[in-house]
């Protein structure tokens, strides 16, 4: 079987590895438009902080990792078109300029997304950067170390924007964050957990200008100021735009069904409208399990799970089970805080029209008599108000308690209720936790109970 894979990031890598290690007699070719295989953008903050060996080690895999099993990985090869009737792709070698076609028995599309630029005056000025990819990582690293860069404006309060803000603030720059969302990490954290993060950012020297959009960038050749919609302006030697992404799917128009925003339409088995063509990764809308609806979930973990599912069923005309979906679990460190989120929160519940309830548990990680390393912890549970089925959760502390989010993710997958979690059997040792686990306590509080500790 001849399989062509478009895109060499997490989904493409996982697809190729699974195909070549699960089956025999597989002819697998991965086409990647970029000139490097395959930079891990979610590791950019660690690179900028100097916490990795070197930039080119921050990658998902090397060509040799696939070639050792007989696969082919071709970088600087852009797939320009797909012909689903002929089962062919048109490919341009970006180094030589040569254009050729390649046939496939099965096609897996994992071409991902591209960062969005802002449609405002001055967006094409020099020193307006996007924070995604290997080349941008080096450019941004150069600016972190550049003493002439004193004022940095970050547009966006998602993970990438907050990571950029912290890196530049710790480098001694004057940093301002602008976003239409009224709280940092508002797509991931509810207000109660976003407040400590906002304070940490402010205490760390980051100026927050939230609830506002950017009207323009101003400068003579290079950016000098950022003007917000309320008329306030901020000096800027550098702007980092982290204001979302758009699917990289223009080349598929007329062959593969796309929605009005360009996301690839798939059925519950991750098949497109075209025979023998599958789509995975950031350019599709997978099932968001706790909501029971499709949603954009641009995470490496999501792409890898989708790839594994597709490869598992690629020989089957009608799979016995649909793709199970994902919870959208993620984590981040912001200055001293460590946070994690999974499933439904207040922001996506509102967007999806979900009826939910929420409850906050706030205490210390260990019993109050413990004085050594006993920081505050916040646990927010989101649940269905009638059935008490757990739909989501968020955890925050200066201690690394992010693994609790994985437990909540399992509770979501198992359709557990607050009652189940309130009595779940977890260990106790005062050097680690409370007599009742903080997850037990969070569920008990959500049920309106008064915990014994």
């Amino acid at each position: 079987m001849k399989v062509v894979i478009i895109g060499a990031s997490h989904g493409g890598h996982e697809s190729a590895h699974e195909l070549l290690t699960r089956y025999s007699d597989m002819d697998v070719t991965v086409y990647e438009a970029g000139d490097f295989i395959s930079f891990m953008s979610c590791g950019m903050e660690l690179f900028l902080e100097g916490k990795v060996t070197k930039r080119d080690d921050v990658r998902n895999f090397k060509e040799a990792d696939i070639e050792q099993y007989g696969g082919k990985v071709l970088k600087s090869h852009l797939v320009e078109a797909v012909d689903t009737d002929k089962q062919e792709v048109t490919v341009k070698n970006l180094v030589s300029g040569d254009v050729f076609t390649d046939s496939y028995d099965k096609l897996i599309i994992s071409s991902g997304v591209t960062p969005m630029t802002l449609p405002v005056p001055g967006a094409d000025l020099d020193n307006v950067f996007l924070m995604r990819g290997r080349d941008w990582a080096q450019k941004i690293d150069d600016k972190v170390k550049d003493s002439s860069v004193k004022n940095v404006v970050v547009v966006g309060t998602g993970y990438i924007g907050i990571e950029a803000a912290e890196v530049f603030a710790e480098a001694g720059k004057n940093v301002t964050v602008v976003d239409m969302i009224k709280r940092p990490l508002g797509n991931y954290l509810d207000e109660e957990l976003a407040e400590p993060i906002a304070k940490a950012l402010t205490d760390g020297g980051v100026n927050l200008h939230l609830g506002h959009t950017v009207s323009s960038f101003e400068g003579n050749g290079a950016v000098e100021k950022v003007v917000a919609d309320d008329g306030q302006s901020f000096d800027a030697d550098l702007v980092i735009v982290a204001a979302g992404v758009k699917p990289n799917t223009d080349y598929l128009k007329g062959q593969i069904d796309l929605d009005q925003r360009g996301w690839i339409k798939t059925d519950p088995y991750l098949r497109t409208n075209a025979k023998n063509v599958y789509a995975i990764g950031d350019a599709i809308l997978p099932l968001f399990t706790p909501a029971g609806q499709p949603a954009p979930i641009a995470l490496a973990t999501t792409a890898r799970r989708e790839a594994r599912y597709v490869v598992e069923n690629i020989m089957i005309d009608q799979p016995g089970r649909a793709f199970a979906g994902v919870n959208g679990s993620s984590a981040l460190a912001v200055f001293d805080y460590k946070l994690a989120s999974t499933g439904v929160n207040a922001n996506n519940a509102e967007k999806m029209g979900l009826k939910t309830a929420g409850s906050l548990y706030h205490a210390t990680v260990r019993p109050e008599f413990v004085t050594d390393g006993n920081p505050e912890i916040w646990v927010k549970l989101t649940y269905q108000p009638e059935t008490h089925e757990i739909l989501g959760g968020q955890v925050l502390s200066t201690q690394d308690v992010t693994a609790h989010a994985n437990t909540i993710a399992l509770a979501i997958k198992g359709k557990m209720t607050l009652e189940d979690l309130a009595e779940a059997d977890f260990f106790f040792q005062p050097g680690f936790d409370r007599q009742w686990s903080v997850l037990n306590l969070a569920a008990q509080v959500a049920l309106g109970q008064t915990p014994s500790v």
Side-chain angles (χ1 to χ4, degrees):
M1 178 178 287
K2 186 174 184 180
V3 182
V4 167
I5 300 169
I6 303 175
S9 192
H10 295 281
H13 170 218
E14 187 73 23
S15 297
H17 176 83
E18 294 282 342
L19 284 163
L20 293 164
T21 57
R22 280 176 179 255
Y23 304 110
S24 59
D25 299 323
M26 277 285 177
D27 180 346
V28 177
T29 301
V30 181
Y31 289 113
E32 167 58 41
D35 63 357
F36 182 80
I37 305 295
S38 162
F39 184 75
M40 187 183 295
S41 289
C42 53
M44 186 182 290
E45 182 181 12
L46 293 173
F47 164 70
L48 295 174
E49 292 174 338
K51 295 178 180 178
V52 300
T53 49
K54 55 186 178 181
R55 178 190 57 172
D56 287 353
D57 292 341
V58 186
R59 64 196 306 180
N60 300 314
F61 71 107
K62 303 182 293 293
E63 291 96 318
D65 295 334
I66 296 302
E67 291 168 349
Q68 67 178 319
Y69 299 112
K72 297 182 287 294
V73 182
L74 301 178
K75 63 185 179 182
S76 300
H77 279 69
L78 173 67
V79 175
E80 295 186 314
V82 174
D83 188 325
T84 57
D85 292 328
K86 294 181 179 179
Q87 296 201 169
E88 291 180 343
V89 294
T90 301
V91 185
K92 182 176 183 179
N93 183 324
L94 298 177
V95 176
S96 68
D98 294 339
V99 177
F100 61 93
T101 59
D102 191 9
S103 63
Y104 63 82
D105 297 314
K106 304 284 185 178
L107 176 65
I108 299 175
I109 301 170
S110 185
S111 50
V113 294
T114 54
M116 291 179 63
T117 56
L118 295 181
V120 300
D124 58 347
L125 289 170
D126 289 345
N127 292 334
V128 177
F129 283 9
L130 304 173
M131 192 171 168
R132 190 180 183 93
R134 174 175 172 269
D135 292 341
W136 286 113
Q138 187 60 61
K139 291 177 182 178
I140 293 169
D141 189 43
D142 291 341
K143 295 297 183 181
V144 170
K145 300 170 181 174
D146 187 345
S147 61
S148 69
V149 175
K150 302 183 184 305
N151 300 299
V152 178
V153 175
V154 177
V155 182
T157 59
Y159 278 9
I160 292 174
I162 295 301
E163 286 178 337
E166 181 176 353
V167 166
F168 281 99
E170 291 189 331
K173 315 295 185 183
N174 177 33
V175 179
T176 299
V177 176
V178 181
D179 198 344
M180 63 186 297
I181 297 176
K182 295 183 178 180
R183 60 180 183 269
L185 300 172
N187 288 330
Y188 306 92
L189 297 179
D190 292 353
E191 184 175 356
E192 302 97 325
L193 281 76
E195 286 179 357
I197 295 297
K199 185 177 186 303
L201 288 165
T202 302
D203 291 347
V206 178
N207 174 37
L208 298 177
H209 193 66
L210 305 182
H212 296 282
T213 59
V214 171
S215 295
S216 65
F217 302 121
E218 296 182 355
N220 183 17
V223 68
E224 298 172 7
K225 288 185 181 295
V226 175
V227 180
D229 60 358
D230 60 351
Q232 290 199 51
S233 64
F234 305 95
D235 292 340
D237 303 307
L238 174 70
V239 173
I240 304 291
V241 177
V245 295
K246 58 182 179 180
N248 181 23
T249 56
D250 285 348
Y251 72 103
L252 299 173
K253 290 179 179 177
Q255 292 288 317
I256 303 297
D257 286 347
L258 311 174
D259 73 7
Q260 60 184 2
R261 296 182 60 193
W263 303 101
I264 300 171
K265 293 182 178 181
T266 60
D267 69 8
Y269 307 96
L270 303 183
R271 301 177 297 196
T272 71
N273 62 296
K275 185 178 180 180
N276 295 322
V277 180
Y278 306 81
I280 60 175
D282 295 355
I284 75 168
L285 302 178
L287 175 65
F288 183 37
T289 306
Q293 300 179 30
I297 302 178
L299 293 169
T301 50
T302 297
R304 288 186 177 274
R305 282 158 178 76
E306 292 163 349
R308 185 178 177 89
Y309 170 84
V310 164
V311 171
E312 183 180 288
N313 294 283
I314 202 164
M315 303 286 198
I316 304 171
D317 290 335
Q318 183 56 52
R321 65 177 181 92
F323 178 60
V326 292
N327 292 334
S329 305
S330 58
L332 187 69
V334 181
F335 289 103
D336 291 335
Y337 282 105
K338 288 84 177 173
L339 62 97
S341 174
T342 185
V344 174
N345 56 44
N347 177 69
N348 55 34
E350 181 179 0
K351 289 181 178 178
M352 298 178 130
L354 301 176
K355 184 179 180 182
T356 65
S359 176
L360 178 71
Y361 174 72
H362 178 206
T364 55
V365 172
R366 303 180 181 91
E368 293 180 1
F369 65 79
V370 178
T371 59
D372 182 24
N374 191 18
E376 293 177 282
I377 183 173
W378 290 259
V379 180
K380 179 73 181 286
L381 295 178
T382 302
Y383 55 93
Q384 208 286 330
E386 282 82 25
T387 66
H388 293 175
E389 181 180 335
I390 297 168
L391 302 177
Q394 303 149 53
V395 295
L396 173 69
S397 179
T398 55
Q399 180 177 310
D400 186 359
V401 295
T402 53
H404 284 312
N406 284 333
T407 302
I408 298 171
L410 283 173
I412 294 170
K413 183 176 179 61
K415 297 187 178 299
M416 290 175 62
T417 64
L418 293 175
E419 288 81 359
D420 295 325
L421 187 58
E423 299 180 356
D425 187 5
F426 299 117
F427 76 86
F428 164 62
Q429 212 289 332
F432 296 97
D433 207 342
R434 288 174 168 265
Q435 290 94 325
W436 288 102
S437 163
V438 293
L439 294 185
N440 293 137
L441 294 166
Q444 291 168 18
V445 168
L447 289 167
Q449 300 170 2
T450 302
S452 58
V453 291

